[in-house]
Amino acid sequence: MAKMVKCIICGAVFEEGADVCPVCGVGPENFVPVEDDKTAFSKDTDEKFVILGGGPAARSAAEAVRERNKTAIITIVSKEKHLPYNRPMLTKALLEDHSDNKLAIEPASWYEENRVFFMGETEAVGINVDNKEVAVVLADGSRGTVAYDKLIYALGAYCFVAPIPGSELEHVLTVRNISDTEAIRKVVAERDVKNVVCIGGGVMGLEGAWTMREAGYNVTVLETAPGLLPRQLDDAASALLEKIAADAGVHIVTGAKISKITGDAVILEDGTEYPAELVLMSTGMRPYTQLAEDSGIEVDKWVAADEHMRTSAPDVFAAGDCAMVNGQPQVFWAQAEATGKVAGANAAGDDVTYDAIGSALIMHAFGTAVFAQGTNGKDKEYRSEISQDEAAGNYSACYYDGDKLAGAMLVGDISSMSELMNKF
């Protein structure tokens, strides 16, 4: 059996020997061996386990069920045709062909060996929690139902499209799934793209902008906030990152007030026009909760779950970035995998508690790296330790609440991030 390692930055688990983490892209200095944590719990039944969603939470839930139940029927229902894959890699490789499950977390053989039926190109459109069945629409448009004994709701999140006039145009695209990257490649091929505008200065927007710049396009980032990564970085770190991006050839506009998108430009309220044959919209994510809400499952912006990942409906569990645990949203990769594992374990009859895990941002773009965890120091007064070498493009800030580290960020040299993460 292959040895497994875990990335201490994003929490991904994969086979030893990888040059970089397949999820967040950091090097092997951030990998640690994974100890065998297989459970002693076993309960073989003929139950039907249905998992809604096609991301890491769904896959880890299926794995957790199969570890405990060798005979049950496990079905993953996903709107996508692709097996669960490393979604964070999409913005790092926007123009690559991701067909044939190139980004898959596990190959097709894993599903065969574990007898997990992947029901792709199937949209869940309703849940009857009384009759324990899911209404679905198949690829050919036909309708049907899938019966369950235990249901795991792991539908993830979708890209919020800001209500900007023109956002419905065909060359205005988001990046959340492989179909989106296929649409981007199609626009690039058909429109003779030279200029790209990325609306949004968050991680996905900046990674996408850098990918397109490296491919040779003229790229402008329009961010409505006063700085880049406004929720993760303090003002000084944002300013340094903006300078680094500009020096790398990406035009950054912060405080942008966008008026409309036309067929060949994005226009600001002051009349400034930025040419754009392709517009990438990266204006936030929203959890898929409507299906749960329509089914009477408790929703408070996210699907509500306890530390066992149980929802308000009997035999229905939630996991991934559509879920919140005891009021805390679970929106990062490591949290998705962990909550999926707990949901699958408890659905199978085990008694496992989710130990809340923190989440760190790491980004590689513009020839630099960024790390951030915890507060950005803007929400209240903190004791701070800050150092900056603008010439070298390095910045370090730690914010302390008393003696406790409440927030940390690094730009440029991020070699101390593991040490900082251990202090939280």
Side-chain angles (χ1 to χ4, degrees), residues 287-325:
Y288 275 115
T289 59
Q290 193 64 53
L291 189 61
E293 192 169 0
D294 291 345
S295 306
I297 298 170
E298 182 183 349
V299 170
D300 182 7
K301 294 185 180 179
W302 286 265
V303 180
D306 63 15
E307 63 272 18
H308 298 280
M309 305 313 301
R310 297 189 182 97
T311 71
S312 62
D315 296 322
V316 179
F317 300 77
D321 48 1
C322 63
M324 67 175 183
V325 181

Side-chain angles (χ1 to χ4, degrees), residues 36-49:
D36 186 0
D37 61 350
K38 290 196 177 296
T39 179
F41 180 89
S42 179
K43 183 182 178 182
D44 294 341
T45 70
D46 60 358
E47 290 176 287
K48 300 180 182 69
F49 292 84

Side-chain angles (χ1 to χ4, degrees), residues 222 253-260 266-274:
L222 302 179
V253 180
T254 56
K257 296 181 179 180
I258 302 171
S259 172
K260 63 181 177 180
V266 179
I267 303 175
L268 303 190
E269 289 182 0
D270 64 5
T272 304
E273 295 191 17
Y274 295 99

Side-chain angles (χ1 to χ4, degrees), residues 76-247:
I76 293 177
V77 177
S78 174
K79 189 175 180 180
E80 293 192 66
K81 65 181 178 180
H82 305 280
L83 296 173
Y85 56 90
N86 293 312
R87 200 178 301 273
M89 293 301 293
L90 291 177
T91 49
K92 301 175 179 68
L94 280 179
L95 300 176
E96 294 185 16
D97 181 359
H98 301 300
S99 60
D100 299 326
N101 293 311
K102 290 186 178 70
L103 292 179
I105 302 169
E106 301 287 356
S109 59
W110 183 89
Y111 296 85
E112 296 169 2
E113 293 164 3
N114 288 279
R115 303 186 315 285
V116 175
F117 176 49
F118 180 74
M119 197 171 177
E121 296 182 280
T122 303
E123 182 179 7
V125 295
I127 303 170
N128 188 321
V129 297
D130 296 321
N131 294 343
K132 290 192 171 183
E133 60 183 23
V134 179
V136 298
V137 176
L138 306 180
D140 62 3
S142 61
R143 292 177 174 264
T145 58
V146 181
Y148 69 86
D149 293 297
K150 303 288 176 59
L151 180 70
I152 299 172
Y153 189 108
L155 285 174
Y158 63 93
C159 291
F160 168 72
V161 177
I164 300 169
S167 60
E168 76 286 352
L169 294 172
E170 290 186 356
H171 71 294
V172 181
L173 300 168
T174 58
V175 184
R176 177 61 181 173
N177 53 49
I178 289 175
S179 295
D180 292 334
T181 64
E182 292 172 346
I184 290 169
R185 292 170 63 210
K186 184 173 184 289
V187 168
V188 167
E190 294 180 351
R191 302 200 82 210
D192 188 26
V193 171
K194 294 182 175 63
N195 304 288
V196 179
V197 168
C198 297
I199 299 177
V203 174
M204 294 178 65
L206 296 179
E207 287 184 340
W210 180 235
T211 297
M212 298 305 292
R213 179 58 191 153
E214 285 192 302
Y217 299 96
N218 301 316
V219 180
T220 298
V221 173
L222 302 179
E223 168 57 54
T224 58
L228 300 178
L229 300 179
R231 290 178 299 188
Q232 294 91 359
L233 300 183
D234 61 22
D235 293 340
S238 291
L240 177 59
L241 181 60
E242 182 175 339
K243 179 181 183 302
I244 291 171
D247 290 344

Side-chain angles (χ1 to χ4, degrees), residues 328-349:
Q328 295 299 315
Q330 305 296 302
V331 299
F332 289 89
W333 181 273
Q335 295 169 330
E337 285 203 322
T339 54
K341 185 175 182 178
V342 172
N346 290 320

